[in-house]
Amino acid sequence: MAGITNFMQGRSKRILVPGGAGYIGSHTCVELINRGYTPVIVDNFVNSSIASVDRIRQITGANDVPVIEADIRDTAEMVRVLREHECEAVIHFAGLKAVGESTAQPLDYYSNNVQGSLSLLEAMKQAGTGHIVFSSSATVYGTPVSLPYTESHPLAPTNPYGMTKYAVELMLNDLVASRAGINAGILRYFNPIGAHPSGLIGEDPNGVPNNLMPFVAQVAVGRRPHLNVFGNDYDTPDGTGVRDYIHVVDLAEAHIAALEKLLASPDSFTVNLGSGIGHSVLDVVKAFEQASGRDIPLEFVDRRPGDLPAYWADPTHAMELLGWQTRLTLEDMCRDQWAWQSGNPNGYPDVKIGAA
Ligand code: NAD
Ligand code: UFG
């Protein structure tokens, strides 16, 4: 519908997408294009490949996807890009996201995630851009006081990465309250996995994956001998950790719903993005074995320090406010992850910046 409206207006709305070459950003760019928007990608490629932009063009047939290599901490450059492309809103994915690394290098995380977001907001003020969707995380809740997590659950992150997300949420809330002409949609993601069904874009972690799904997929494709399961003595149905996994395409669609809410109404909001269903590590392994037809050898090892036993979302608020809910299942997530992993066993090809 938005696509038709924009077409009839003769020009599609441009949306700045910092971090748009990354995992969730690339999937959201596809959905933006599908709905008639033009994403303007800004990325410094610290954790992504320019090849993903080429794949976005391949999936959508859009040749006019602007991509600017820049760091969001360069405020003047952000102002320039927002003005030149007349962006109406920002969907902000740019940041670092590895929990363990954030403990070892906290200043990098505060610089990229907090200073970076501050710079972007300053640029939006200067350029007069009035809407921002922000990638937050369920990690802001910390140890569950009650489950499922609702948006009013106390916020007490337990690692520097989570603290940076919390800090940006506070900054956004204060900015909104100051009536600076900016409204914000804060999205608290649970565990995004899967890939676009085309198998052309997906998660391409550097080095040894930290997260469960890319690790499982690399075992299935033969890049790693077995999965270490971190703990089988939790108080969960099978003893392994339980999480609320969400298909990255469902997540991308939620960004469109959030964007359109911000464009249509002055209010700001914070919502959980999850399915409301918890799956254990062994549930994921079993579903992946079925989807791929491959065995996933595993070993039970000690718990990973800092891991919580189990948590999942209450997704009611997102449904009531945005009219959005997940539609894809764990089986869909595993099937699409396998299409990506088996089609791209070593991730994206090496492409020089500027070649895509
Ligand atoms: P990703 O690393 O694939 O994407 C982030 C992108 O931002 C990358 O392309 C990276 O090169 C870019 N980037 C990083 N710092 C930058 C900077 N200073 N300037 C310009 N570009 C920069 O990660 P993702 O999984 O797509 O996550 C996107 C966002 O969602 C992140 O903010 C992350 O913290 C948040 N998030 C992710 C998860 C998850 O499990 N994947 C969960 C909750 C929240
Ligand atoms: N796990 C294993 N073996 C592995 C990797 C993970 O058994 O090799 C287990 C973990 O112990 C946990 C589950 O699989 O029980 C999921 O672990 P992930 O690392 O995939 O995800 P987390 O829930 O730990 O964290 C993720 C992101 C965070 C984000 C959080 C939001 O990594 O950035 O989700 O809920 F904040």
Side-chain angles (χ1 to χ4, degrees), residues 18-25 42-48 70-73 92-97 112-113 116 134-138 161 165 189-192 203 211:
Y23 172 45
I24 304 168
V42 166
D43 208 298
N44 66 357
F45 301 101
V46 67
N47 195 40
S48 54
D71 192 302
I72 55 168
R73 289 167 290 188
H92 171 27
F93 296 100
L96 304 178
K97 62 166 183 174
N112 258 282
N113 296 4
F134 173 62
S135 303
S136 189
S137 166
Y161 166 69
K165 291 292 172 189
Y189 310 160
F190 281 66
N191 286 53
E203 189 171 12
N211 299 116

Side-chain angles (χ1 to χ4, degrees), residues 152-193:
S152 58
H153 186 283
L155 304 182
T158 56
N159 56 67
Y161 166 69
M163 290 303 295
T164 67
K165 291 292 172 189
Y166 183 30
V168 177
E169 287 200 10
L170 293 176
M171 196 156 68
L172 284 168
N173 289 334
D174 285 343
L175 180 65
V176 166
S178 75
R179 302 185 183 281
I182 294 180
N183 65 355
I186 295 172
L187 309 184
R188 294 183 181 148
Y189 310 160
F190 281 66
N191 286 53
I193 60 171

Side-chain angles (χ1 to χ4, degrees), residues 140-157:
V140 296
Y141 294 121
T143 306
V145 173
S146 57
L147 283 172
Y149 288 130
T150 62
E151 288 81 358
S152 58
H153 186 283
L155 304 182

Side-chain angles (χ1 to χ4, degrees), residues 14-18 32 40 72 78 82 87-93 120-121 123-124 129-134 183-185 255 259 262-263:
R14 315 241 178 112
I15 311 297
L16 190 80
V17 189
L32 280 168
V40 176
I72 55 168
M78 293 304 103
L82 283 166
C87 296
E88 303 209 15
V90 176
I91 305 184
H92 171 27
F93 296 100
L120 193 56
L121 290 169
M124 287 175 65
T129 313
H131 318 281
I132 181 165
V133 177
F134 173 62
N183 65 355
H255 288 74
L259 170 71
L262 290 175
L263 291 172

